[in-house]
Amino acid sequence: MLSQAPVYAHVYRSRAGEVAVRSWCEMELVGCPGMRPLPELTADGRSTRVHVLEGGSGTPVLVLSGAVLNSATLTGFARLVAEDRTVILADMPGQPGLSSSRRVFGQRPGSYGLWLDALLPQITDRPVILMGHALGAVAALSSLPSPLVERMLLVNPAGLADPLFSLERRIATGAWRLSPSERTSARLLETLCAPHRAGPEHDSHPLQEWMTLMGRHCRTVPVPGMLRGEEFSDWHGVPVTVATGSHDRVFSPSLLHGAARRLLDANVHVIEGAGHLAPYEEPERVRDLLNHGGD
């Protein structure tokens, strides 16, 4: 029997919305000193945009962002990490950003591993640290072990367990989807981040503008749960650091502890003062994990 061709949906609600989102991303990346784009690549049949920020002499790091986030939202983190090492940022296809907007109906999260398998040898010929945040960890865990991966850092990782249920987050997400605005974006970010510190400098989250833009123009999908057995690659023998925020209400330290030990023979490093968006909330602590592997 002939297999059916995949049916694609697009992450953007309209062509105008796609232009608005891509323009915002281009401006953020162009505005980052030293950031350079690689020529557009094709990985697992989908166009992929990759940006590189040259840095210190440490092992380069390939950063894969969480769902609804991308390279453009990580420029601040990249500038910080580039003090130590070159940073490679890749937009994941099917997510808002500069890569392919095609999202396959019924696609299992583990299919991101096929994309990463095809992408990695196109962007580096020497070993890198593979850092996956949230959904990016799913791509890392479901990709095939490679001599091009020296070690892995998984931050607020999806794929190891099903996300915790939160009525507060579900209500905030519903309000944001129905009426995306600065107010509903801020409320959703409050459910994802650690409690606000005192002081006016924390009144507006740096991702608030992006979340509002994305809510207006993009279709979203639920946070992926635990990978199935056949999707989870055997990373034994490769050093893996697992970290999550002390206030992560999606993938908490207690939720991840057993799975990280059982599946990766790794402990969970707790990032104090961070929620589910640790690279944005506590970038210095994530940088330390890149430098020292949680030791």
Side-chain angles (χ1 to χ4, degrees), residues 202-220:
H202 299 286
D203 289 346
S204 178
H205 194 282
L207 286 174
Q208 189 168 314
E209 179 186 359
W210 165 252
M211 291 295 288
T212 303
L213 181 71
M214 204 235 354
R216 289 171 177 164
H217 298 302
C218 301
R219 301 181 178 96
T220 59

Side-chain angles (χ1 to χ4, degrees), residues 60-74:
V61 58
L62 168 59
V63 182
L64 304 177
S65 63
V68 310
L69 302 169
N70 54 33
S71 303
T73 65
L74 282 166

